[in-house]
Amino acid sequence: MTDILFFKPFFSHTIWGGTRLREDFGYDEPGEDLGECWGISGHPSGMCYVKGGEYDGRSLADLWQNEPRLFGRTRTDGDTGKGSPFPLLIKIIDAKSDLSIQVHPDDEYARVHENGSLGKTECWYILDCPEDGKLVVGHNASSREELASMIENGRWSELIREVPVKRGDFIQIDPGTMHAIKGGVMLLETQQSSDITYRVYDYDRLQNGKPRQLHIRQSIDVMTVPAAAPEESVQHFGVATECGLQQLYRCGYYTVYRGVVKESESGVLRIRREHPFLNLSVIDGSGTVEGKPVKKGDHMILTAAKDEYTLGGDMEVILSGI
Ligand code: ZN
């Protein structure tokens, strides 16, 4: 069985994107408005296709449905019938300018109001940011009435809660959390495979001469009030220096790890696959996975074929499993 599935990413061009996905990550994609690289995705809005090997050219959604053994599944698994999508989506995001202030629904709200879609729980690992880098995480309204009134009256500076961030920070964004990536921040996002976003405020920007759609009613419906304390969302892991594997977060949808390998100092990094499969994205440096060369910007799935995977070289990776 194939042990590693390499993917050709999907790129999203956005009004807030820039050029760093090409300049820093080496992706061969033109444009001055590159916002998102979807590195591992089975979502119809931005499908990833296998690059090389036995499954060359096939989509992740196709493999998930038709080659379940790669993902440690059998066709009789309870939740794996047709319509159960590949569960996670891995993106690298370059915010040249601020993203809209937004919130996502949970599974139950999305199922009822968004035609059976999944809700969206997501998390961010900060790859790079300015000295005074910030994100919007949460808000300052104390009741739903106050939230509605602050939104209706455009009291954004009072409502929005900004938190400082640094490289190596990890931020969990549960459904119902008001959030936005601010300009200058580059991050890796691990999320449920969902595209449901309720936009609360877009800084009155225009795209092709028109404001982008807002979803005020849904936002007020799904927002958690009052917001959780920032310490509950943001963890500071610092820049990785030690060789090894470190768990960053675990929730019902995913477990996320950071792996560092420095062959020159401490040899190889062996990873036991404690999940049916693992998503792996190289975020810095270069090296090997099971002897195959990989570099910054590469995305792959370590399949159920092996119980242990060996990484060599000098690189930093983010892994996730269900
Ligand atoms: Zn989001």
Side-chain angles (χ1 to χ4, degrees):
M1 187 170 23
T2 295
D3 55 354
I4 307 172
L5 298 168
F6 290 94
F7 291 98
K8 191 170 160 315
F10 167 85
F11 293 95
S12 171
H13 295 249
T14 61
I15 55 170
W16 44 262
T19 57
R20 294 181 68 187
L21 289 171
R22 184 169 60 246
E23 287 160 9
D24 294 2
F25 275 79
Y27 296 122
D28 182 21
E29 175 76 8
E32 305 299 303
D33 59 350
L34 287 177
E36 300 184 349
C37 165
W38 296 25
I40 300 175
S41 164
H43 197 282
S45 301
M47 188 61 68
C48 288
Y49 294 85
V50 174
K51 197 167 61 175
E54 186 183 350
Y55 302 107
D56 186 40
R58 288 179 64 181
S59 75
L60 177 52
D62 169 11
L63 294 185
W64 176 253
Q65 292 300 344
N66 299 309
E67 306 290 347
R69 288 189 322 131
L70 289 168
F71 308 95
R73 318 190 303 142
T74 65
R75 284 187 196 278
T76 54
D77 286 355
D79 62 347
T80 57
K82 295 281 177 198
S84 154
F86 182 78
L88 298 179
L89 174 45
I90 312 297
K91 296 177 182 175
I92 295 179
I93 296 179
D94 170 22
K96 186 181 175 193
S97 50
D98 299 347
L99 272 73
S100 61
I101 311 276
Q102 53 187 254
V103 60
H104 306 296
D106 61 13
D107 287 340
E108 177 57 18
Y109 190 93
R111 188 179 61 75
V112 174
H113 298 273
E114 300 292 347
N115 204 18
S117 169
L118 291 178
K120 189 166 164 186
T121 297
E122 68 188 41
C123 64
W124 300 330
Y125 178 79
I126 306 297
L127 300 170
D128 194 28
C129 66
E131 197 59 37
D132 60 345
K134 288 187 200 75
L135 297 169
V136 173
V137 183
H139 60 77
N140 297 315
S142 54
S143 67
R144 207 165 294 280
E145 293 68 38
E146 189 182 23
L147 173 74
S149 144
M150 285 169 116
I151 290 174
E152 270 155 36
N153 296 305
R155 288 157 59 195
W156 304 114
S157 58
E158 279 171 81
L159 176 64
I160 291 163
R161 191 175 72 194
E162 292 188 342
V163 298
V165 289
K166 294 201 168 6
R167 264 179 75 183
D169 281 356
F170 178 92
I171 300 99
Q172 169 75 1
I173 305 289
D174 285 321
T177 306
M178 192 161 90
H179 64 282
I181 304 173
K182 303 277 288 177
V185 175
M186 258 193 123
L187 56 81
L188 182 141
E189 180 173 85
T190 303
Q191 57 159 100
Q192 281 181 276
S193 184
S194 164
D195 212 12
I196 308 285
T197 293
Y198 298 141
R199 203 175 278 135
V200 188
Y201 177 50
D202 202 22
Y203 313 96
D204 304 313
R205 286 184 294 206
L206 301 179
Q207 181 172 41
N208 304 323
K210 283 184 287 213
R212 297 195 292 176
Q213 193 188 359
L214 299 179
H215 315 85
I216 301 295
R217 183 182 54 76
Q218 295 95 323
S219 299
I220 294 171
D221 260 7
V222 304
M223 201 94 76
T224 302
V225 187
E231 308 81 67
E232 286 179 37
S233 310
V234 185
Q235 293 181 75
H236 309 283
F237 288 98
V239 175
T241 49
E242 301 267 294
C243 192
L245 189 70
Q246 180 180 24
Q247 182 180 306
L248 302 178
Y249 196 80
R250 180 182 205 114
C251 70
Y253 296 104
Y254 45 70
T255 305
V256 179
Y257 306 88
R258 175 169 73 177
V260 177
V261 52
K262 293 188 176 173
E263 207 170 60
S264 49
E265 287 173 23
S266 41
V268 296
L269 175 65
R270 284 185 226 286
I271 295 173
R272 281 202 61 76
R273 179 182 54 75
E274 285 169 349
H275 300 268
F277 62 92
L278 284 170
N279 301 311
L280 187 154
S281 302
V282 182
I283 56 168
D284 203 14
S286 62
T288 56
V289 180
E290 291 297 299
K292 298 187 179 81
V294 298
K295 61 177 192 312
K296 180 175 179 175
D298 286 350
H299 301 271
M300 66 209 76
I301 287 177
L302 311 182
T303 73
K306 291 184 175 155
D307 293 333
E308 189 175 273
Y309 282 83
T310 302
L311 278 56
D314 286 283
M315 59 181 181
E316 188 176 343
V317 302
I318 296 290
L319 296 128
S320 54
I322 53 174

